[in-house]
Structure formats: C-alpha cells, structure tokens
Amino acid sequence: MLGLLCTVVPFLVLMSISGAYLVGEVPSWFLYVHAVTYLMYRMLDEMDGKQARRTDNSSPLGLLFDHGCDCFAIGL
C-alpha cells in the first residue's frame, strides 16, 4: 500500500501544479521528488512479495491485491 501511495501522491501534486489538462512547465524540484518516490515504489514492490513468502504470510488475496496495486500504479 505504501508503494501505491508513492505513485499516487506525485501524480496528485502534478495535477495541482499543472491543472487537470497537465499543461505548463514542470518545476525541477518535482522531477527530483518524483525520481525518489519512484525509486521507493520499485524497492517496496520488489520486497513485499519476498517478505510475505519468507514469513509465510502470502495468500491468493494478497497476490491479487499486490498485482492490482501494481497495475494501477503503472497506469499512472
């Protein structure tokens, strides 16, 4: 869930900066923030499944939730 927030929050910030049509220049600080949040998303996405299998907490519902969050994050 934290990984999903790392993609949704920068998108909402970009929408507030550029408006609903995403026109105009993007500030350089936003690009750095987006790079850091994308790195955090990728690290959290790679670690969560491995951690769930290691601690024997994996389930079909968790797998579906993880893939659903990934599909939504990639769509943004």
Side-chain angles (χ1 to χ4, degrees):
M1 193 68 183
L2 289 175
L4 180 65
L5 288 176
C6 286
T7 57
V8 171
V9 170
F11 178 72
L12 293 176
V13 170
L14 181 63
M15 291 282 289
S16 70
I17 292 171
S18 299
Y21 295 109
L22 298 175
V23 291
E25 290 193 27
V26 177
S28 60
W29 62 265
F30 176 77
L31 300 176
Y32 294 114
V33 170
H34 191 290
V36 169
T37 56
Y38 182 72
L39 177 67
M40 289 172 48
Y41 161 70
R42 292 298 304 164
M43 287 179 21
L44 290 170
D45 184 43
E46 299 295 327
M47 292 187 307
D48 62 354
K50 193 172 195 175
Q51 180 68 17
R53 287 187 297 275
R54 181 181 295 158
T55 59
D56 200 28
N57 286 326
S58 60
S59 69
L61 182 60
L63 180 67
L64 181 67
F65 181 76
D66 183 46
H67 286 305
C69 287
D70 293 343
C71 288
F72 184 75
I74 290 172
L76 290 179

